[in-house]
Amino acid sequence: MNGSIQLVVFKLDAMKFGVLLSFVERVVPVTEVTGLPGAPEIVLGIINMKGKIIPVVNIRKRFRLPVREIELSDRFIISRTSKRCLAIIADEVDGVAEYPEQKIITAANILPNLEYIEGVIKTEDGMVLIHDLEKFLSLDEVSALDKAMIPVSE
């Protein structure tokens, strides 16, 4: 590892997270979220983004942060995994930051089988948890979301 990675860094409460820039399509202001019956608990609902229906996920639940209502100052990070597009709710988006790969502490070195986190980067003002979007939804959640999305996509 001798390169660098670019992350979109965002906050949930006082915690900082990062998503690889290559997964992020755009950051947009929040909009109304429509409930999606049958979706996994982690999915708040769906949004219509320029004619495209996108599930909205609340990663607060994954990291056991206090649940709160969406605020007008929040942002959606529109991201694409190999399987689908997702909107992640963020309290605040700091922007894009570049870090040397050798500064990443991999999840395996922190705690074996640590789900959802690819690694951690120590910064001058704390840590950034690198979120692994490919592993974010469990197989059961992917299946439930696929079933819930069928009527919407027809």
Side-chain angles (χ1 to χ4, degrees), residues 23 31 69 100 102 131:
F23 283 98
T31 185
E69 293 292 318
Q102 67 266 20
H131 194 61

Side-chain angles (χ1 to χ4, degrees), residues 33-36 39-46 54-58 61 86 136-137 141 145 149:
V33 177
T34 303
L36 183 62
E41 185 178 297
I42 196 85
V43 176
L44 285 180
I46 52 176
I54 301 173
V56 177
V57 294
N58 186 354
K61 293 182 181 189
L86 294 172
F136 180 68
L137 296 175
E141 289 169 333
L145 181 56
M149 290 291 291

Side-chain angles (χ1 to χ4, degrees), residues 2 15 24 26 48 61 65 67-68 85 102 110 116 119 127 132 153-154:
N2 56 5
M15 293 181 70
V24 177
R26 68 181 67 130
N48 182 341
K61 293 182 181 189
L65 294 171
V67 177
R68 69 168 180 77
C85 211
Q102 67 266 20
I110 300 167
Y116 322 121
M127 294 189 298
D132 188 342
S153 59
E154 292 178 342

Side-chain angles (χ1 to χ4, degrees), residues 50-99:
K50 297 184 179 182
K52 187 177 186 179
I53 304 301
I54 301 173
V56 177
V57 294
N58 186 354
I59 66 173
R60 288 177 162 281
K61 293 182 181 189
R62 279 286 187 257
F63 297 103
R64 295 187 171 92
L65 294 171
V67 177
R68 69 168 180 77
E69 293 292 318
I70 296 175
E71 297 177 4
L72 289 176
S73 60
D74 292 346
R75 296 286 178 257
F76 286 144
I77 301 171
I78 309 298
S79 307
R80 174 160 291 291
T81 68
S82 61
K83 295 177 178 80
R84 71 172 27 95
C85 211
L86 294 172
I88 300 168
I89 301 172
D91 296 354
E92 185 179 325
V93 177
D94 289 347
V96 177
E98 190 166 343
Y99 300 100

Side-chain angles (χ1 to χ4, degrees), residues 109-128:
N109 288 332
I110 300 167
L111 187 65
N113 301 321
L114 188 60
E115 296 179 276
Y116 322 121
I117 297 294
E118 192 171 315
V120 175
I121 293 178
K122 290 190 257 181
T123 65
E124 291 175 9
D125 60 345
M127 294 189 298
V128 176

